[in-house]
Amino acid sequence: MNRIFSGVQPTGNPHIGNYLGAFRNWVALQDSYDAIYCIVDLHAMTIDYDPADLEKTRIDAAKILLAAGVDPDRSLLYTQSQVPAHAELAWILGTMTPMGVLNRMTQYKDKTEAGHASNLGLYAYPVLMAADILLYRANLVPVGDDQRQHLEMTRDLAERFNNRFGDIFPIPDAYIPETSARVMSLQDPTAKMSKSDVNVKASISILDDPDVVRKRIKSAVTDSDPIVRYDTDDKPGISNLLEIMGACTGRSVEDLADEYADSGYGVFKEAVAEALVEELTPIREAYKSLSNGDVRQVLHTSGEKGRDLAAPLMREVRKAVGLKGY
Ligand code: AQP
């Protein structure tokens, strides 16, 4: 069976962008792939954080994934720091990453411009992400559109490594969904929805109550032309809502735009909110039924399996780069 790998940062409340762009596909792909999902806590340390919060956000992220349908009997779900080989492989890959390649990565620029302190970890974030993926010889990486550039770099690093040291890594493909690959902020539909957005009205958390979901959709920024139409350039707010509703109902944005074209924004927004409430309610209910103890047990068991899976690959890598053990 081919393998998939993907990760989420425990940096706050996961939002509907994370769910529609990534988590939902993680759940669906478990049927046909050997799946490894990771709470990437080493990545979360690249921006300012409180150590006391990290435990809560790690458990919460794992609990949300289990509630959304990640099945620990079929997939691994653990935290990145449980498998030290992620960091070791990142170092080795870092030694063959040209500075020019890292300078072109937009995430570092975006984060530092948004006020996050610059540090080596944040700058080298894409190298650690490449290590996460390559460590398990993943063939496919289901992610949102914002990770496209990092995936390209991962492919490039795998090729560089293979060319120099022998064919060790498969070249992984990105799996980016056709709709909702970039769910936009509800307050600025030209920017992606993000956990780190300080404006609470900009996003909807996966665990938000139905009333909060309805309020957020009602206050979503749109435009003054009352026609519901899919046009990401002229009507980014309405297009974003159409994509959200399309992802929740399985209907195309064109079909939805036809149905709601003349119904007015109020009626359309109510329909979007109800579709979202229907999609999120089972996850919220399942989340409530899981205990922190259950989640820790899953992480513990999966972490052990992750270390066992990574060990033979790291032996091969060390030997290939000239670090054979004694
Ligand atoms: N808006 C989004 N639309 C679709 N997919 C998204 N993803 C993230 N945002 C969207 C995908 O979710 C997975 C986990 O990503 P993450 O943990 O990096 O989430 P984030 O929301 O990007 O996190 P932060 O902490 O808020 O970071 P910034 O500030 O960079 O946005 C990934 O597959 C991602 O593609």
Side-chain angles (χ1 to χ4, degrees), residues 6-9 11 15 17-18 21-23 26 47 107 111 125 142-147 180-184 192-197:
S6 202
V8 55
Q9 300 183 73
T11 42
H15 49 72
N18 300 131
F23 302 168
W26 297 9
I47 56 170
Q107 192 189 46
K111 290 241 155 130
Y125 183 112
V143 283
D145 182 65
D146 59 320
Q147 296 300 325
S180 64
R182 185 177 284 262
V183 175
M184 307 308 266
K192 92 170 177 101
M193 188 176 283
S194 160
K195 291 193 224 94
S196 52
D197 198 322

Side-chain angles (χ1 to χ4, degrees), residues 6-170:
S6 202
V8 55
Q9 300 183 73
T11 42
N13 289 329
H15 49 72
I16 56 168
N18 300 131
Y19 174 66
L20 298 174
F23 302 168
R24 234 166 53 137
N25 300 321
W26 297 9
V27 173
L29 290 166
Q30 297 178 114
D31 292 334
S32 32
Y33 286 85
D34 174 16
I36 302 179
Y37 299 126
C38 196
I39 313 297
V40 289
D41 47 4
L42 300 179
H43 284 287
M45 293 168 69
T46 60
I47 56 170
D48 191 28
Y49 75 101
D50 179 349
D53 284 346
L54 193 53
E55 173 59 5
K56 181 180 175 329
T57 48
R58 291 192 312 174
I59 295 287
D60 258 6
K63 206 187 271 187
I64 287 172
L65 287 170
L66 292 170
V70 168
D71 175 2
D73 290 331
R74 285 184 290 163
S75 305
L76 295 192
L77 176 64
Y78 64 88
T79 63
Q80 192 182 24
S81 60
Q82 287 176 269
V83 183
H86 286 255
E88 185 185 358
L89 183 57
W91 181 264
I92 292 171
L93 294 175
T95 64
M96 59 192 71
T97 308
M99 297 293 280
V101 169
L102 276 180
N103 287 340
R104 285 198 292 278
M105 297 293 120
T106 52
Q107 192 189 46
Y108 176 78
K109 201 165 146 269
D110 292 346
K111 290 241 155 130
T112 48
E113 278 176 7
H116 293 291
S118 76
N119 63 67
L120 181 60
L122 186 60
Y123 184 68
Y125 183 112
V127 182
L128 180 57
M129 181 167 157
D132 299 337
I133 296 163
L134 299 180
L135 185 59
Y136 300 101
R137 292 190 159 111
N139 310 94
L140 197 69
V141 188
V143 283
D145 182 65
D146 59 320
Q147 296 300 325
R148 200 182 285 274
Q149 194 186 33
H150 290 165
L151 245 298
E152 277 307 314
M153 202 192 105
T154 301
R155 290 165 59 86
D156 177 60
L157 277 179
E159 272 165 11
R160 277 173 202 272
F161 186 100
N162 288 349
N163 287 340
R164 174 145 184 228
F165 298 112
D167 233 0
I168 290 195
F169 299 120

